[in-house]
Amino acid sequence: MDEVSRKTFLLFGDSLTQRSFDEGGWGGRLASAYQRKADVIARGYSGYNTRWAAYTLEKIFTKGHVPPDLVTIFFGANDAALPDRLNGRQHVPIEEYVAHLRAFVEHIRSVGTKHIILITPPPVDETVRVQENQQKVGGEQEAAMLPERTNAVAGEYAKAVKQLGEELGIPVVDLWSNIQMQPLWQACLSDGLHFTSTGNAAVYHLVQAKINEALPHLRPDALSMDFPGHADIDASSPDSAFKGTAIS
Amino acid sequence: MDEVSRKTFLLFGDSLTQRSFDEGGWGGRLASAYQRKADVIARGYSGYNTRWAAYTLEKIFTKGHVPPDLVTIFFGANDAALPDRLNGRQHVPIEEYVAHLRAFVEHIRSVGTKHIILITPPPVDETVRVQENQQKVGGEQEAAMLPERTNAVAGEYAKAVKQLGEELGIPVVDLWSNIQMQPLWQACLSDGLHFTSTGNAAVYHLVQAKINEALPHLRPDALSMDFPGHADIDASSPDSAFKGTAIS
């Protein structure tokens, strides 16, 4: 859109990405950390698994267009829904999930994006999920007595992401493990699945730490601001700071 | 960057725009309201007045590039700094301020952007500004005994923006007046100048109300989401919802 030398970070995922600009969200926190340095843009699709997201890929990452400098790929919370429970329609078997992630990485690299971060699904608070399901379909229904996602299964999907990252040489944010290391990790989740402000802060800090460690040239302090800081402008002769002329 | 049919909203301004993605910020709130509908991007430059922002204009809004669908222009808080006080270097006389705003509108229209919203500077809490200045330069210094910005002068700049908006047929968000209509309006400002979360919420709601009223086709509920909602996808035959094929 413009000639300003900003990076573009694109967040690709499900509702955990779609909602990442809600108050306290990890996308907004990233945008704040990268103000005047990178535009942070969400391509998050609530309820989507990787099978459905595969349909969006070529339209989001289009050959011949300017590619994002960094892409986060964050799916699995829906793929890991159990096939024989509520939300079974979202289930994608783990082998197919990994195959889709692999195809996403391949395609995103093919359009010219050099840096990708994989994010594992977060843990699941099964007790709260059952409460949520009971509210949704009524407490007596058999389907609502069991969680539609389990923490153990989410952990298997997370493990598969870690393996894929190692295989492809892509940094992985292991949300599933790291969030559970926090005391009272359940406070990171609002409905057992989506993030509270605390959870969003954790996601942001984990993603930022991964950038800092694995992609140090994309650290916020490694990038320069677009246009001079105002204190560097000589008020009596602003031309010199901007090395150009003003429109007037 | 991609072929997804999202709008782009660009926020052009000073620190009140640069910081708009900080926690609870009005830019982040706008991004949340427009999730899957518009990308909201900040081009905010802390400390800048319109004289300095004029240097950035052609690089931010470049002929031949895809223009933003909506641009907010939000300057004046620094232009209205008093010339003979602390921060006098930021002062721009009101006539010159208006001339720059007029040039900004003209240039932004010339690159193809159809919709512009002007935002007036917010009110100033002079008592808090004096406290801030005293902290900055020491309480005994004469320069710190008087506010470097006054609410009355900010009001003159705000009035000038309103007149320009009427003349050019551009919607104006009159922050200066509307924030002061709130009981305890000082709670909208953290340091007498920048927004608290309460202030940011007010700015977001005023901008959103102006879009809804003056540009109803850009209301969030008037725009369609990119890609189908997940409940509209037939899990046994997703092709039909996407009218296309998946990458795999």
Side-chain angles (χ1 to χ4, degrees):
Chain A
M1 184 177 54
D2 57 44
E3 293 181 346
V4 175
S5 67
R6 299 236 195 176
K7 304 285 184 195
T8 302
F9 294 175
L10 188 148
L11 318 179
F12 183 43
D14 53 30
S15 60
L16 299 172
T17 295
Q18 180 179 329
R19 299 189 191 177
S20 66
F21 282 84
D22 288 0
E23 197 164 349
W26 66 279
R29 288 174 197 263
L30 210 53
S32 172
Y34 282 91
Q35 53 189 263
R36 291 181 68 173
K37 295 176 176 180
D39 294 325
V40 181
I41 285 174
R43 292 288 178 271
Y45 301 95
S46 181
Y48 275 44
N49 53 31
T50 52
R51 189 187 289 162
W52 302 338
Y55 288 90
T56 71
L57 203 63
E58 283 199 314
K59 287 187 175 145
I60 295 177
F61 305 96
T62 308
K63 280 204 176 66
H65 291 214
V66 179
D69 298 283
L70 173 68
V71 172
T72 59
I73 304 179
F74 184 9
F75 286 97
N78 298 315
D79 300 65
L82 301 179
D84 54 350
R85 305 260 173 97
L86 282 177
N87 300 55
R89 62 188 286 278
Q90 294 175 300
H91 172 75
V92 171
I94 197 160
E95 299 74 20
E96 184 186 337
Y97 167 68
V98 172
H100 285 306
L101 290 182
R102 191 189 300 273
F104 293 177
V105 167
E106 205 169 294
H107 178 77
I108 291 167
R109 282 176 166 172
S110 81
V111 303
T113 290
K114 291 195 174 61
H115 303 296
I116 297 174
I117 290 177
L118 289 167
I119 306 177
T120 78
V124 174
D125 184 345
E126 298 174 18
T127 312
V128 178
R129 290 310 301 162
V130 171
Q131 291 165 3
E132 291 280 325
N133 292 339
Q134 288 183 336
Q135 277 189 354
K136 207 181 288 173
V137 299
E140 296 84 38
Q141 292 213 26
E142 202 183 346
M145 306 301 277
L146 294 168
E148 89 296 353
R149 293 162 167 87
T150 64
N151 195 34
V153 169
E156 289 169 27
Y157 282 67
K159 196 174 158 196
V161 175
K162 284 177 69 177
Q163 286 171 344
L164 183 68
E166 273 168 39
E167 181 197 325
L168 300 178
I170 294 182
V172 174
V173 173
D174 182 0
L175 272 195
W176 189 82
S177 301
N178 279 287
I179 285 187
Q180 287 184 86
M181 281 177 207
Q182 309 213 15
L184 298 174
W185 64 266
Q186 291 84 349
C188 290
L189 305 170
S190 62
D191 56 0
L193 182 64
H194 296 94
F195 303 124
T196 56
S197 183
T198 305
N200 270 301
V203 177
Y204 160 67
H205 286 294
L206 291 164
V207 171
Q208 186 68 70
K210 188 55 73 178
I211 293 173
N212 295 353
E213 169 208 321
L215 306 167
H217 64 290
L218 294 181
R219 294 169 64 111
D221 57 9
L223 299 176
S224 52
M225 287 198 306
D226 60 341
F227 300 111
H230 77 94
D232 296 327
I233 300 171
D234 178 352
S236 60
S237 153
D239 275 20
S240 55
F242 288 100
K243 299 183 186 77
T245 50
I247 280 193
S248 59
Chain B
M1 184 177 53
D2 57 45
E3 291 181 348
V4 175
S5 68
R6 299 236 195 176
K7 303 287 183 193
T8 302
F9 295 175
L10 188 148
L11 317 180
F12 183 44
D14 53 30
S15 59
L16 300 171
T17 295
Q18 181 179 328
R19 299 190 191 176
S20 67
F21 281 83
D22 288 358
E23 198 166 347
W26 67 278
R29 290 174 196 262
L30 209 53
S32 173
Y34 282 92
Q35 54 190 261
R36 289 181 70 171
K37 295 177 176 180
D39 294 325
V40 181
I41 284 174
R43 291 288 177 269
Y45 301 95
S46 180
Y48 275 44
N49 54 32
T50 52
R51 191 187 288 163
W52 301 338
Y55 288 90
T56 71
L57 203 63
E58 282 198 315
K59 287 186 176 144
I60 296 177
F61 305 97
T62 308
K63 281 203 174 67
H65 290 213
V66 179
D69 298 283
L70 173 68
V71 172
T72 58
I73 304 179
F74 184 12
F75 286 97
N78 298 316
D79 300 66
L82 300 181
D84 53 351
R85 306 258 173 99
L86 283 176
N87 300 57
R89 63 188 286 278
Q90 294 175 302
H91 171 75
V92 171
I94 197 162
E95 299 75 19
E96 186 186 336
Y97 168 67
V98 173
H100 285 307
L101 290 181
R102 191 190 299 274
F104 293 176
V105 168
E106 205 168 292
H107 179 76
I108 292 167
R109 282 177 166 170
S110 80
V111 302
T113 290
K114 291 197 172 61
H115 304 295
I116 297 173
I117 290 178
L118 290 167
I119 305 178
T120 78
V124 174
D125 184 345
E126 298 174 19
T127 312
V128 178
R129 289 313 299 163
V130 171
Q131 291 166 1
E132 291 280 325
N133 292 339
Q134 289 183 335
Q135 278 189 352
K136 206 179 291 172
V137 298
E140 297 81 38
Q141 291 212 27
E142 203 184 345
M145 305 303 277
L146 294 167
E148 89 298 349
R149 293 162 166 86
T150 65
N151 195 34
V153 169
E156 288 169 28
Y157 281 68
K159 197 174 157 195
V161 176
K162 286 177 67 177
Q163 286 171 346
L164 183 68
E166 274 169 37
E167 182 198 322
L168 300 178
I170 294 181
V172 174
V173 173
D174 183 0
L175 272 196
W176 189 83
S177 303
N178 278 287
I179 284 187
Q180 287 183 86
M181 280 177 206
Q182 307 213 16
L184 298 174
W185 63 266
Q186 290 86 348
C188 289
L189 305 170
S190 63
D191 55 1
L193 182 64
H194 296 95
F195 304 124
T196 57
S197 183
T198 306
N200 270 301
V203 177
Y204 161 67
H205 286 295
L206 290 165
V207 170
Q208 186 68 68
K210 186 58 70 177
I211 294 173
N212 294 353
E213 168 209 321
L215 307 166
H217 65 291
L218 294 181
R219 293 170 65 111
D221 57 9
L223 298 176
S224 52
M225 287 198 306
D226 61 342
F227 300 110
H230 78 94
D232 296 329
I233 300 170
D234 178 352
S236 60
S237 151
D239 276 21
S240 55
F242 288 98
K243 300 183 186 78
T245 50
I247 281 193
S248 60

